[in-house]
Amino acid sequence: MGEMDEEDVVMRRISKLKKESVREEMVSRFARIRKEAREFREQLAFQEREEEAENADIVAGCKSDLDGEAQCREPEGQQFTKNTKQKEGDLKSQDPEAKKQEDRRLGSCGMENGSCAAGVFSSGHSMGADFIRRYSRQLLVPSFGVSGQKKLSESAILIVGMGGLGSPISSYLAASGVGRLGLVDSDVVELSNLHRQIIHTEAFIGQPKVSSAASACLALNSSILVKEHGRGLNAANAVEIISQYDVVVDATDNIPSRYLISDACVATAKPLVSGAALGLEGQLSVYNHKSGPCYRCLFPVPPPPGTRQRCSDNGVLGVVPGIIGTLQALEAIKLASGFGETLSSRMLLLDAFSTRIHMVKLRGRSPNCFACGDAPQISAANLHEFDYERFTESTLSEEGPKAQELIPVNDRLSSAELKKLLESGKPHVLLDVRDSHEYVISSLPSSLNIPLSLLKERLSVLQSAVDSVVSFPDNPQEKEYPGLQDVGSSKEECSSVVPSRENTSIYVVCRRGNDSQKAVQFLRSEGFSSAVDVVGGLESWAKDVDERFPFY
Amino acid sequence: MKLTLEFGGGLELLFGSVKIHEVAVPPPEGETKVTVKHLLLWIRDNLLKERPEMFLKDKSVRPGVLVLINDCDWELCGTTEAVLEEKDTVVFISTLHGG
Ligand SMILES: [Zn+2]
């Protein structure tokens, strides 16, 4: 028992001593660590000061390198100097007019011969310090690396369309260091573009998209060359322009352009990255590459005109072309630098509503293809003779379908006549046959909305509106246009006039004056013989009667 | 035969704006197989809500529509003659042009 006690006491003492020594050791270790940390912080601060000074030197050095290089290397030197100046100018001034002039100058100079080699390397194609610093994070990607970056910097990529797809494509390709970028578009920047065409800014509204995009690309990366093709692509110039590049990206918004670009790529043996986006959906593929199909292999016959949808009619969520365009940039980089697996013979389908991506396997090149088959009908020599607009029954722009004429013009109202009639106080019903999601954006006061597709089943709604028709003057100019917040403010008011299907005027409007004619034809067949529609619809109202009308 | 049908690229508007349809398609009378040709007719008669010309043309789909059987281009499976199997997914997608 005593033995045990003694042992216990000894053990406790040992344990206590151990604890004390551990504590002491800990305390001294913490003190040491604190001291080291303090020293480290001081060292770090010193290094940062040193680095700042060094960076300033590097920036100055790069600039003088660039200037020096520019002097000794003609004709590329001119472009270098201009790019440098352009960048300086951009920093100094945000004046869009000055930018525009600078861009014009830039676009018209250099690279007219269309030869390759963008000249971003210092002599002997070794990589300069600024080159390594700029692309260091890409150089570190093993499968891309130095060889990928060099190939990319020696490549030339053409982007057709500077819209929702072209915006991320041109931004990423400029930033990633594609040697030479060609930008094609003949449109000007509009306010309704900006929600998705993010390369353009408010300052450039009304100016050519190619100027706006070129300026943004050079602001991102002044070491690349950017060429503007502001007249757009057509059958006459497609082969000549496309042959100046290594990879082509289709970022257009219309069917004839898609056939034209695909054919010209086949004729000049260039791979094509093709993307499209509408509403909440996107599609992406690579055509005319290896054993894969061209656009015509997949779609030998263009879709009938009535089946086509456009962004300006059907809408598009801005981020959707952003996603597809970014993926197009990826495919273009892979093709230009020769690494990775491309989407040749595959198609990516994006459903943004439920965030689903389908990867599908496509047919290969078709031996019967009109463009790339065993007996092709189209070549670089004869492509300019092909009428793409007639082939696809539409124009080389996002232009809408031609105004229809189901009813003779003299049996219809102009928007100005509609205004007079509305002000006259003549008993009437103003019927708007657009879809309800469009009607809530903006509409004429006291109008009744029955979408064309529902007109037949909701004829009784129209009948009751006729039965309780408005009988006093209705001056839409004195009222605010209903829309967005005040949905459904259209009123049906009582009247002392005895109305009927035959004598009550029904003025029918739609967005552009096509659906309204179909509605009138139907209404007349149902006995509403005084139904009449408005030529040009609300578009014409906004243009000819009241500019305040928020047309979309 | 139980099939999953999907419509995209705007074609869903012809089917009550519903993209995915789980359907049971019986084979034609006196036969056991369901071909895509038969499926197209079945869709026209049982599923299509409006404007058949927006979907079909000359016993096939209209130009500009891609047909994918289990995520594979129907050109690789025999187009209208392709024979479908239980639980296959058939996607009809209209080509998009917007940008
Ligand atoms: Zn082809």
Side-chain angles (χ1 to χ4, degrees):
Chain A
M1 160 111 186
E3 221 174 278
M4 282 299 285
D5 276 353
E6 210 170 306
E7 200 174 307
D8 197 32
V9 169
V10 171
M11 287 306 288
R12 277 186 201 166
R13 196 166 292 164
I14 288 172
S15 159
K16 197 185 168 199
L17 282 168
K18 264 190 186 164
K19 274 182 190 163
E20 274 170 8
S21 81
V22 165
R23 195 181 301 132
E24 259 172 51
E25 202 191 316
M26 294 289 262
V27 167
S28 73
R29 200 188 289 171
F30 281 141
R32 212 162 54 239
I33 288 169
R34 271 202 298 272
K35 185 165 172 274
E36 276 174 12
R38 196 169 53 241
E39 283 169 8
F40 186 70
R41 271 200 301 272
E42 280 165 12
Q43 210 178 338
L44 207 66
F46 177 70
Q47 275 181 358
E48 271 171 8
R49 281 197 298 276
E50 287 253 295
E51 261 172 23
E52 255 173 51
E54 197 188 347
N55 280 342
D57 284 346
I58 288 165
V59 170
C62 284
K63 195 176 170 299
S64 77
D65 279 354
L66 215 58
D67 288 341
E69 201 168 39
Q71 272 165 24
C72 69
R73 293 182 62 190
E74 292 293 334
E76 294 155 345
Q78 286 181 356
Q79 185 71 46
F80 267 102
T81 314
K82 275 168 188 164
N83 287 353
T84 311
K85 280 185 182 155
Q86 160 81 12
K87 199 184 178 188
E88 285 169 358
D90 282 351
L91 290 172
K92 277 182 207 148
S93 150
Q94 289 299 316
D95 176 13
E97 194 51 43
K99 267 189 184 173
K100 189 179 166 188
Q101 282 172 2
E102 182 71 15
D103 290 337
R104 274 211 203 96
R105 204 163 59 77
L106 209 77
S108 63
C109 78
M111 304 315 294
E112 296 299 275
N113 58 8
S115 68
C116 199
V120 288
F121 297 113
S122 48
S123 56
H125 274 214
S126 69
M127 298 184 294
D130 54 340
F131 183 90
I132 289 174
R133 258 192 298 273
R134 178 185 281 272
Y135 304 117
S136 60
R137 300 304 185 271
Q138 268 174 199
L139 298 173
L140 287 168
V141 177
S143 52
F144 183 68
V146 170
S147 74
Q149 188 67 57
K150 278 192 169 182
K151 280 187 202 147
L152 192 63
S153 302
E154 287 164 353
S155 71
I157 301 182
L158 183 73
I159 309 166
V160 190
M162 283 298 111
L165 297 167
S167 290
I169 300 169
S170 50
S171 303
Y172 272 110
L173 293 186
S176 66
V178 171
R180 185 159 50 87
L181 275 186
L183 311 179
V184 185
D185 207 307
S186 59
D187 285 347
V188 296
V189 180
E190 291 175 33
L191 182 62
S192 66
N193 298 152
L194 299 187
H195 81 109
R196 68 184 191 283
Q197 304 184 10
I198 57 168
I199 199 160
H200 309 300
T201 55
E202 288 180 5
F204 280 91
I205 288 173
Q207 295 191 46
K209 285 186 179 176
V210 282
S211 308
S212 166
S215 164
C217 287
L218 288 168
L220 269 171
N221 190 345
S222 62
S223 73
I224 61 164
L225 299 180
V226 178
K227 174 149 183 189
E228 299 170 24
H229 301 276
R231 304 176 112 180
L233 213 64
N234 53 52
N237 68 13
V239 167
E240 190 228 325
I241 291 177
I242 285 178
S243 60
Q244 300 170 30
Y245 296 86
D246 305 315
V247 176
V248 178
V249 189
D250 183 346
T252 61
D253 56 11
N254 64 82
I255 301 176
S257 292
R258 292 193 181 268
Y259 281 98
L260 166 67
I261 294 165
S262 177
D263 287 356
C265 284
V266 171
T268 55
K270 311 286 182 183
L272 169 62
V273 183
S274 183
L278 189 90
L280 290 167
E281 285 187 69
Q283 298 171 355
L284 172 72
S285 191
V286 169
Y287 296 121
N288 195 40
H289 185 54
K290 295 189 173 164
S291 58
C294 80
Y295 188 71
R296 273 190 200 261
C297 292
L298 225 49
F299 304 108
V301 179
T307 63
R308 301 165 191 175
Q309 299 176 298
R310 302 174 305 137
C311 291
S312 55
D313 283 346
N314 299 82
V316 58
L317 198 70
V319 70
V320 177
I323 294 164
I324 297 297
T326 306
L327 287 166
Q328 284 183 276
L330 170 67
E331 295 303 303
I333 288 170
K334 286 193 290 185
L335 288 165
S337 53
F339 84 101
E341 287 171 41
T342 70
L343 272 174
S344 177
S345 274
R346 292 188 294 156
M347 184 179 273
L348 183 151
L349 308 170
L350 167 72
D351 175 2
F353 182 82
S354 41
T355 316
R356 288 190 312 149
I357 290 177
H358 261 310
M359 291 299 313
V360 303
K361 188 171 168 18
L362 295 180
R363 68 198 77 171
R365 185 183 67 86
S366 163
N368 305 319
C369 178
F370 186 80
C372 76
D374 296 339
Q377 311 283 301
I378 285 190
S379 67
N382 74 4
L383 184 138
H384 67 275
E385 294 165 6
F386 198 81
D387 187 341
Y388 287 89
E389 300 194 332
R390 211 179 65 187
F391 171 62
T392 58
E393 297 175 65
S394 60
T395 55
L396 280 162
S397 72
E398 212 212 3
E399 213 168 275
K402 281 189 185 139
Q404 296 175 339
E405 210 180 287
L406 304 173
I407 299 172
V409 172
N410 57 17
D411 195 13
R412 305 173 68 194
L413 297 175
S414 70
S415 53
E417 285 167 335
L418 175 68
K419 180 176 179 268
K420 274 189 198 144
L421 285 167
L422 292 177
E423 286 168 353
S424 73
K426 196 169 174 285
H428 71 271
V429 169
L430 180 56
L431 177 67
D432 188 327
V433 293
R434 292 173 298 156
D435 277 348
S436 58
H437 74 275
E438 290 188 52
Y439 183 78
V440 298
I441 297 173
S442 58
S443 61
L444 292 175
S446 304
S447 57
L448 172 69
N449 180 222
I450 305 177
L452 178 63
S453 58
L454 301 172
L455 195 52
K456 197 172 180 180
E457 61 184 85
R458 294 200 189 156
L459 218 48
S460 60
V461 178
L462 181 65
Q463 183 60 60
S464 55
V466 166
D467 292 344
S468 58
V469 82
V470 182
S471 68
F472 49 83
D474 185 20
N475 184 352
Q477 295 247 58
E478 286 171 5
K479 296 186 184 177
E480 285 303 309
Y481 289 110
L484 302 181
Q485 288 87 18
D486 48 344
V487 177
S489 67
S490 55
K491 288 173 191 148
E492 291 154 24
E493 290 165 62
C494 289
S495 157
S496 56
V497 179
V498 181
S500 71
R501 278 192 184 201
E502 294 76 30
N503 69 11
T504 302
S505 296
I506 301 173
Y507 309 136
V508 187
V509 295
C510 65
R511 192 174 179 206
R512 293 203 167 100
N514 287 335
D515 280 356
S516 59
Q517 295 181 70
K518 292 179 194 161
V520 162
Q521 284 185 328
F522 171 72
L523 289 175
R524 287 181 183 173
S525 74
E526 291 290 322
F528 294 94
S529 51
S530 303
V532 62
D533 87 307
V534 178
V535 178
L538 295 169
E539 187 175 42
S540 162
W541 180 275
K543 211 173 101 212
D544 304 327
V545 172
D546 188 359
E547 283 181 357
R548 294 181 314 131
F549 182 77
F551 190 70
Y552 50 91
Chain B
M1 177 177 290
K2 286 200 174 91
L3 298 171
T4 303
L5 306 181
E6 286 192 43
F7 302 94
L11 288 179
E12 71 278 10
L13 299 175
L14 305 173
F15 298 90
S17 293
V18 177
K19 284 196 164 179
I20 300 177
H21 299 252
E22 303 286 348
V23 298
V25 181
E29 267 193 35
E31 289 179 47
T32 51
K33 288 174 179 171
V34 173
T35 60
V36 175
K37 191 199 284 173
H38 174 67
L39 174 66
L40 291 176
L41 296 175
W42 185 89
I43 290 172
R44 185 196 64 191
D45 298 338
N46 296 278
L47 218 53
L48 200 57
K49 295 256 196 286
E50 52 184 301
R51 296 175 289 173
E53 73 281 4
M54 300 282 278
F55 183 60
L56 298 169
K57 193 188 176 192
D58 303 336
K59 291 181 182 170
S60 186
V61 291
R62 67 149 168 90
V65 173
L66 274 182
V67 184
L68 307 158
I69 303 165
N70 301 327
D71 286 344
C72 195
D73 190 343
W74 74 336
E75 282 281 334
L76 300 168
C77 327
T79 64
T80 53
E81 299 304 322
V83 177
L84 297 169
E85 288 172 20
E86 191 75 21
K87 291 185 177 168
D88 274 353
T89 297
V90 187
V91 176
F92 299 91
I93 197 128
S94 175
T95 166
L96 301 177
H97 310 285

